[in-house]
Amino acid sequence: MLKLTDVEVMYGRVILALRGVTLEVPEGSIVALLGANGAGKSTTLKAISGLIRSENGEVTQGHIELDGQRIDGKDAADVVKRGVMHVMEGRHVFPHLTVHENLIAGAHTAPSRDLKSKFDLVYQYFPRLKDRQGGRAGYLSGGEQQMLAIGRALMANPRTLLLDEPSLGLAPMFVQEIFTIIRRINAEAKTTILLVEQNARVALQVAHYAYVMENGRIVLSGPTEQLSRDEGVQAFYLGVTAAGERRSYRDVKHYRRRKAWIA
């Protein structure tokens, strides 16, 4: 459904952010994109959604395809019309609008006759939002704002969701709840999901396949069951040694790159 082939992205025609990124997100799957800060994960999502252009960035090599049609070079509005919704890092909601009004803002591409069913679906996944629908979004907790950001994207009836760090800054209780809902959205609505996440442990639990990025490149890929058993991934991203002991990220000095395997 979604395919990146040898994609290179530059900012301001000076900074090379992505270096020949190739990945695939099959229809109906959850694919995780893992890596440290600055690896290029968010840039990858912005290249897909078209938001890269708003930051003086551009795809300078390779191509991005959705259902066999190229979308690199399209503006963000056109990508949304094709069924791709990007939930950005940082829980971007309209703080002075109510929960209900935020959700309406997400439904601008959906026929008005379908609004009730969209609200029902979002409130089914996020009952907390139904209880707070008349309150201002700025007064929600961080976890509730993240739920609202995802719910607003669902109002557009997306075929593909791009989720950027949905667990960032959230309490463990909210992290588990949100990832349980992400799994439900994929299973019940058949929504394809590309998930960017630093919390590799929880991402590997919900995704079917994963890619690992370093310095703008894909350095490792495979089914999540294989990656979760990989000692290099465990040590560098999960902080666990081969003996199963916890290990601080700052103590890991080297990560031996491995050739990516294909399922």
Side-chain angles (χ1 to χ4, degrees), residues 102-127:
N102 267 269
L103 293 178
I104 289 177
H108 63 282
T109 61
S112 58
R113 65 179 181 274
D114 293 338
L115 278 182
K116 185 180 184 304
S117 63
K118 300 303 179 189
F119 277 114
D120 290 343
L121 179 66
V122 170
Y123 291 145
Q124 174 188 335
Y125 286 128
F126 304 107

Side-chain angles (χ1 to χ4, degrees), residues 29 34 66 78 98-99 103 105 108 111-113 116 118 120 146 155-156 175 191 194 233 246:
S29 68
L34 311 176
L66 183 67
D78 189 38
T98 67
V99 169
L103 293 178
H108 63 282
S112 58
R113 65 179 181 274
K116 185 180 184 304
K118 300 303 179 189
D120 290 343
Q146 185 63 70
M155 292 292 291
V175 172
T191 304
L194 177 56
V233 173
R246 294 296 301 170

Side-chain angles (χ1 to χ4, degrees), residues 2 4 18 31 49 59 63-64 67 70 104 110 129 136 140-141 148 158 160 169 180 190 192 213 226 233 241 260:
L2 179 63
L4 281 70
L18 296 186
V31 172
S49 68
V59 177
H63 55 271
I64 303 172
D67 293 334
R70 290 185 62 168
I104 289 177
L129 297 182
R136 290 189 178 184
L140 299 178
S141 69
L148 179 56
T160 303
T180 296
K190 308 303 180 184
T192 304
M213 293 193 79
Q226 289 181 326
V233 173
T241 66

